[in-house]
Amino acid sequence: MNIVLKNATIIEKNNPFNNQKVDIEITDGVLSKIGTNLAIKEGYTTIEKENLHVSTGWVDTQVVFGEPGFETTETIKNGLHVAAKSGFTDVFVHSNTNPSIDNQAVIHLIQNKGLGQATQLHLVGTLTKNAEGNELAELFDMKNAGAIAFGDYKKSLTNANLLKIALQYTQDFNGLVFAFPMNKDIKGKGFVNEGVVSTKLGMKGIPALAELVELARNIAILNYTGGKMHVPTISCAESVALIREAKSKGLSITCGVSINNLVLNENEITDFNTDTKVYPPLRSEQDRLALIEGVKDGSIDVITSDHCPVNIENKRIEYDLSAYGSIGLESIFGALNQVVPLEISIEKLTNGHQFLNEKPEIAIGQKAKLTLFNPDTHWIFESKNIMSLSKNAIMLGKKMKGEVYGIINTNSIQI
């Protein structure tokens, strides 16, 4: 792959070319020259795009594709295609599958299905067998097979001692534990945020307390055991404060937030559109603003699309019976770029590389792992913009700022 990106503005903190418009030459998948007015060599393809910007490749730390078991919602092949067109060079795929990603065989199966794609697939194995929360899965074996972390997707461990053992055990091989915070007893039968809106609509609410109690418990266990913990999504102002405090104590804890909670609030549910039923639920405007501050001050490390395809049979039904989840890969950048400055957007979209023990750079001699985009276009997210097999998009009809052209990765290009 020999190409030259013409007149590309680099967005990369601490890069000497940051915010400068340059040409970038890529030879056999490696960055070979960076400068202005580079000559085009024979055999090189020129790529020019309107207001072209380039950053290190983006990472999404929480997506599900369904396959194996739920291919009607999304396949791995199409899911990775959507991710590439949405700007992601790397995605962390979680177990919302049948069978669960809880052993080497399933990991190898999914890895093989992801070969040859521009977007690299990284698997988060379940923390417990079949994600049932009763006994630990084969963590070390899955680590050896290529799992990058362990966590039961959207489930919190009722058994606190099991989380303690997991954090102790994974230290032997530098493992990372994903710990989703939601106390199921306090949550009860709630399915939207508990507050004035849910009361007016007659919907059963999930109090912020359900998240806070579980998060505080998990942090206390981490403080006792040591180890590495990632909180995949938080949704409340008080959770931001808990994470901030834990980091100030030197705990090895990182945190993410869903684009849904960062951009939207509980008022979205008033028309009973089931695409707004997500987990954690959309919270109050005060919570949303606190999450934005957490992103800006570094309390929140990464932002995820929280991409969760759901087929129409499980979405176009009564609100309380419908499944949680929204697709988000196609709209995350345009939505995020509306609420935080571009430099922060790119920082949070690239921070996931730390979990892969890599630090790609836009520098000569580095492998090309790039996302190409235009941060300044304004548009409306419509059905025609959906590339996923499932169409449950919470951002439909929302204003977007910025469009993605594609990625260059694995010595291939997807634009």
Side-chain angles (χ1 to χ4, degrees), residues 9-13 17-19 53-56 342-343 346 362 373:
T9 301
I10 292 177
I11 303 295
E12 184 177 60
K13 190 176 179 181
F17 294 102
N18 186 36
N19 278 316
H53 284 59
V54 177
S55 75
T56 302
L342 176 62
E343 291 75 13
I346 300 305
I362 303 177
F373 58 96

Side-chain angles (χ1 to χ4, degrees), residues 41-56:
K41 301 176 184 176
E42 184 178 352
Y44 282 70
T45 301
T46 300
I47 295 178
E48 292 186 86
K49 295 285 185 180
E50 181 182 354
N51 194 29
L52 177 61
H53 284 59
V54 177
S55 75
T56 302

Side-chain angles (χ1 to χ4, degrees), residues 4-207:
V4 176
L5 303 177
K6 295 293 291 184
N7 298 317
T9 301
I10 292 177
I11 303 295
E12 184 177 60
K13 190 176 179 181
N14 299 323
N15 189 306
F17 294 102
N18 186 36
N19 278 316
Q20 294 184 34
K21 187 176 289 188
V22 297
D23 297 343
I24 303 173
E25 181 185 272
I26 301 172
T27 304
D28 294 330
V30 176
L31 300 174
S32 50
K33 287 184 181 179
I34 301 175
T36 56
N37 299 315
L38 294 183
I40 308 300
K41 301 176 184 176
E42 184 178 352
Y44 282 70
T45 301
T46 300
I47 295 178
E48 292 186 86
K49 295 285 185 180
E50 181 182 354
N51 194 29
L52 177 61
H53 284 59
V54 177
S55 75
T56 302
W58 302 345
V59 181
D60 196 329
T61 54
Q62 183 160 284
V63 304
V64 294
F65 289 149
E67 187 178 7
F70 305 107
E71 289 84 353
T72 57
T73 63
E74 189 59 278
T75 63
I76 292 168
K77 182 179 179 180
N78 190 65
L80 292 177
H81 170 74
V82 174
K85 296 291 284 186
S86 302
F88 291 94
T89 57
D90 300 84
V91 292
F92 293 8
V93 177
H94 291 245
S95 182
N96 194 20
T97 58
N98 185 20
S100 293
I101 307 173
D102 64 358
N103 60 74
Q104 280 194 21
V106 179
I107 286 179
H108 290 315
L109 170 68
I110 298 176
Q111 285 174 334
N112 288 336
K113 289 180 177 290
L115 295 177
Q117 302 295 317
T119 296
Q120 292 173 269
L121 175 153
H122 310 277
L123 292 177
V124 177
T126 63
L127 189 63
T128 63
K129 290 184 178 179
N130 203 33
E132 293 176 345
N134 296 321
E135 55 181 314
L136 290 183
E138 301 167 4
L139 306 185
F140 186 61
D141 284 349
M142 286 194 287
K143 173 77 171 182
N144 289 336
I148 57 160
F150 311 97
D152 294 348
Y153 177 68
K154 301 281 188 176
K155 294 180 179 179
S156 188
L157 275 180
T158 302
N159 187 336
N161 191 55
L162 202 57
L163 178 61
K164 183 198 78 172
I165 294 171
L167 285 166
Q168 291 172 326
Y169 177 57
T170 51
Q171 290 178 59
D172 291 338
F173 49 89
N174 197 32
L176 175 65
V177 172
F178 276 56
F180 178 73
M182 186 67 73
N183 185 287
K184 68 176 185 179
D185 295 318
I186 296 177
K187 171 186 175 292
K189 296 181 179 180
F191 51 89
V192 295
N193 181 53
E194 182 184 84
V196 173
V197 175
S198 65
T199 302
K200 286 182 177 179
L201 296 175
M203 292 183 174
K204 294 180 179 178
I206 303 174

